[in-house]
Amino acid sequence: MSAKKEKVPVTFFDYKKFAVRAAKELFYPQETVEKIRQAKNDDEITSILTNARKQSLKIAINSVYGLTAAKFDNPHKRKESK
């Protein structure tokens, strides 16, 4: 049994539909889906999806390891001793 082969989006409209479907399948917040729908070009969509992925990763890491966003953003930052 093979997976359904997706058509590569050619037009901006197709890319936007593809991005909305991907955001829904990845359970991104409805706010993200709305931002994609309001995007004016493919660069905006790419930026929206990238930010949503990073936010989703922060939430996942926090739930697994109990890290805060600040620790996740700067994992190599050391506290200075006084």
Side-chain angles (χ1 to χ4, degrees), residues 11-53:
T11 65
F12 175 68
F13 178 74
D14 289 338
Y15 180 58
K16 189 184 274 194
K17 282 189 348 185
F18 185 81
V20 166
R21 187 173 347 130
K24 287 181 178 180
E25 288 177 4
L26 292 168
F27 301 105
Y28 288 162
Q30 186 62 29
E31 175 185 300
T32 300
V33 174
E34 291 303 319
K35 285 181 182 178
I36 294 169
R37 286 188 177 133
Q38 295 172 3
K40 302 287 187 236
N41 57 46
D42 57 345
D43 290 334
E44 280 185 50
I45 293 174
T46 301
S47 176
I48 292 164
L49 289 173
T50 300
N51 291 337
R53 185 186 72 235

